[in-house]
Amino acid sequence: MRLRKSTSRTATTAFAAVLLAAASLTTASGAPAAHDEKTLTAAPLATWQTDGVVWSVAYARGVVYVGGTFGSVRPPGAKPGHKEVARRNFAAFDAVTGKLLPCAHSFTKGAGTVRALKASPDGKVLYVGGSFGRVDRTGVASAVALNTADCSLRKDFRPAVSATVRAIETTDKAVYLGGEFTLVNGQTRNHLAALGRNGSLLPFRADLDEPVRAILAAPDHGQLLVGGSFHTANGSPEQALVSLDPTTGATVKSFPDWLPERSAVSSLARNGEHFYLGAEGAGTGIFDGRIAGRLSDGAMVWKDNCLGATQDLLVYKDVLYSASHAHYCALTPGGFPDGPRRHFLAQSADEKRILHWFPDTDDGIGEGVGPRTLTMAGEVLWAGGEFTTVNGKPQQGLTRFGAGPGSSAPEAVPALASDDSRAGKITLTWRAAWDRDDAELTYRIYRDGKLVATRKKRSAEWDRPEMRYTDSVSPGSRHRYTIAVSDGENTMPRSAPLDVTAATAK
């Protein structure tokens, strides 16, 4: 949920406490369940950066395209202002190596920003939307197409769109545009239009009263799902979500009571027979989590209760990944109590359970909501947004996560303490560490440099239990203890040593 500046954190916390109390018997906080699906690693891959906001990313034929509001890009690890390469609101990268590619059109004039990218089903064409009046030296009107083979600007797709394009969807038969516009090619199209590949308007007509922010085509079900901030569609109440006929624009399905008046649908994704939406609420406690629905009958499958606006989502190997700034998910299985924002989430696509995958960014620049957009390129998740750090280290605008194994070690080195000392017994205590993508960690206790015990424990950033180990030694003997923590792939350096003298027998 994106809160207005006048909304206090105290009010948000109070609201969360009320929800938590109402569901105290069913809340599933603490560490996630032991049967978590396998997620991507939370360790980011080396990635180029932008000097501004990334609004959209898309993948086609080995290339990842990035659109936004920026003037340059710079290599992984480079500080702002260093080693910058000019890229005006659009850039392209090798999907495998991450290398910057020479595909470099300049999108300028008007607001001069790229807000939507979408490849054709065959990957041969990349459609670009936003608020721009010129591509390089060519006059256009907020929507164009590029040939992915050579990055050339197509001459046959240059519709005249009257305002910002925020969403694009493609099928074999049409290109759908959604956004703030009311005219396309001089004809009335209220926030949604369908065009042929030559940019000409198709007979499709749908009337929405407010902007469209997400479009998902399901031609095998005869549906075009549309999400946004609208309240009516085709003259009937349709709060933020509606299913339309992809040829005519007539309403096919409604979703009454799915979303409250002040919720908007910001993203849509599909996995088999299910579709998923991400929402953004305006005001404290207004729904802005995720909902799963069934395409065949429009029934709701599940709905989570997290607070913290969802900006984008996608499904990969039955895991629903989302970009948000969730700060309260205690009513969702595997979730967490009210606290700091967590800007990425992974959930079971089938049952909404939150999985143990917690890479993070800061809120960043602009509106300060962190990540804005996601796409999969092979086995790598690319994320763009407003952030300037990833997992606490400088990284602006763009990042990516692979299938692993990751290179990051568990967070927070435990500090050993001695609880008590009895004759021949030394009891050590420490607080559990936590890891961004492994719930269960292994703890190795060393006495005088020799491994004497191994313990395993599940933990999370918000749930780090106290642990203890009692060692048997000779009465009156003095020993030095250290502890190391491993996630199975990476082991932290051993802790600072603790010197303890065992008590003698009375």
Side-chain angles (χ1 to χ4, degrees):
M1 173 177 51
R2 189 173 65 211
L3 301 177
R4 303 180 189 274
K5 291 184 178 179
S6 60
T7 301
S8 69
R9 181 56 180 252
T10 302
T12 306
T13 304
F15 177 82
V18 170
L19 288 179
L20 182 59
S24 59
L25 296 179
T26 58
T27 297
S29 58
H35 54 279
D36 288 349
E37 290 86 345
K38 182 162 181 66
T39 65
L40 300 168
T41 177
L45 299 170
T47 310
W48 277 68
Q49 308 170 75
T50 66
D51 68 348
V53 178
V54 172
W55 293 107
S56 185
V57 289
Y59 170 74
R61 299 195 165 198
V63 177
V64 171
Y65 300 92
V66 175
T69 309
F70 52 84
S72 67
V73 296
R74 62 185 187 274
K79 296 180 180 179
H82 294 259
K83 302 180 181 179
E84 291 184 336
V85 180
R87 288 292 187 273
R88 195 70 180 271
N89 304 318
F90 178 84
F93 301 90
D94 185 285
V96 176
T97 66
K99 180 182 177 181
L100 178 67
L101 298 177
C103 177
H105 291 288
S106 178
F107 289 77
T108 58
K109 200 176 179 181
T113 184
V114 173
R115 299 298 295 254
L117 299 169
K118 184 70 177 185
S120 60
D122 60 11
K124 292 182 178 180
V125 181
L126 178 73
Y127 295 92
V128 185
S131 178
F132 48 83
R134 182 172 291 144
V135 177
D136 303 325
R137 296 183 179 181
T138 302
V140 295
S142 294
V144 297
L146 305 177
N147 292 305
T148 58
D150 60 3
C151 194
S152 60
L153 181 66
R154 292 179 67 98
K155 297 180 180 180
D156 60 351
F157 189 89
R158 296 182 188 174
V161 185
S162 65
T164 306
V165 174
R166 292 183 177 272
I168 303 175
E169 176 64 304
T170 62
T171 68
D172 292 331
K173 298 180 179 180
V175 179
Y176 298 93
L177 305 180
E180 299 173 3
F181 54 84
T182 56
L183 293 172
V184 177
N185 292 348
Q187 298 187 40
T188 299
R189 290 293 188 272
N190 287 322
H191 310 297
L192 184 65
L195 301 96
R197 292 203 173 190
N198 62 357
S200 62
L201 277 171
L202 297 178
F204 176 96
R205 291 291 296 267
D207 183 32
L208 298 106
D209 67 327
E210 295 289 345
V212 167
R213 297 176 58 181
I215 310 171
L216 175 66
D220 52 331
H221 285 270
Q223 296 183 62
L224 183 76
L225 288 166
V226 180
S229 54
F230 52 85
H231 307 291
T232 66
N234 295 330
S236 298
E238 305 287 356
Q239 178 57 42
L241 178 69
V242 67
S243 174
L244 305 175
D245 184 291
T247 301
T248 68
T251 300
V252 174
K253 287 185 175 67
S254 298
F255 304 89
D257 304 321
W258 276 36
L259 296 140
E261 183 178 357
R262 289 189 290 161
S263 279
V265 171
S266 54
S267 52
L268 290 164
R270 181 179 178 180
N271 186 40
E273 293 301 295
H274 291 171
F275 70 92
Y276 303 84
L277 69 82
E280 180 174 14
T284 303
I286 304 300
F287 176 75
D288 49 14
R290 289 145 294 276
I291 299 176
R294 197 160 47 233
L295 284 166
S296 59
D297 58 7
M300 184 184 295
V301 177
W302 57 255
K303 181 178 185 178
D304 72 30
N305 298 97
C306 295
L307 300 180
T310 307
Q311 300 299 321
D312 200 9
L313 47 76
L314 60 80
V315 182
Y316 177 68
K317 293 187 176 180
D318 296 324
V319 174
L320 179 67
Y321 293 92
S322 59
S324 71
H325 54 262
H327 59 86
Y328 174 79
C329 287
L331 302 184
T332 301
F336 41 84
D338 195 34
R341 291 179 169 186
R342 295 178 171 86
H343 293 87
F344 293 109
L345 290 181
Q347 294 173 269
S348 167
D350 292 333
E351 56 185 20
K352 79 180 177 182
R353 177 171 35 88
I354 294 176
L355 310 179
H356 195 101
W357 185 74
F358 298 104
D360 202 12
T361 72
D362 62 353
D363 290 344
I365 60 178
E367 296 180 18
V369 297
R372 287 281 189 175
T373 177
L374 306 171
T375 198
M376 286 301 304
E379 293 187 338
V380 177
L381 173 67
W382 290 67
E386 301 174 330
F387 52 84
T388 60
T389 67
V390 177
N391 291 354
K393 297 180 180 179
Q395 177 70 28
Q396 186 173 0
L398 196 63
T399 189
R400 56 192 180 127
F401 303 95
S407 60
S408 62
E411 306 281 335
V413 178
L416 286 174
S418 178
D419 190 11
D420 61 22
S421 179
R422 294 165 289 154
K425 302 290 184 183
I426 293 176
T427 298
L428 304 174
T429 63
W430 66 94
R431 189 183 182 195
W434 67 281
D435 187 85
R436 294 185 183 275
D437 52 19
D438 292 285
E440 185 176 78
L441 300 178
T442 299
Y443 300 82
R444 299 186 178 97
I445 300 98
Y446 296 85
R447 182 213 309 138
D448 302 328
K450 180 180 179 181
L451 179 66
V452 293
T454 300
R455 295 289 185 269
K456 292 186 177 182
K457 192 74 173 179
R458 296 180 67 82
S459 60
E461 183 183 12
W462 63 90
D463 183 15
R464 296 171 56 198
E466 292 294 326
M467 299 181 67
R468 60 197 300 116
Y469 165 70
T470 299
D471 192 23
S472 297
V473 296
S474 300
S477 58
R478 184 173 178 81
H479 301 281
R480 171 164 289 189
Y481 291 92
T482 56
I483 188 170
V485 187
S486 173
D487 62 6
E489 295 288 344
N490 308 283
T491 301
M492 299 173 68
R494 295 187 194 180
S495 67
L498 174 69
D499 294 319
V500 185
T501 301
T504 57
K506 293 183 179 180

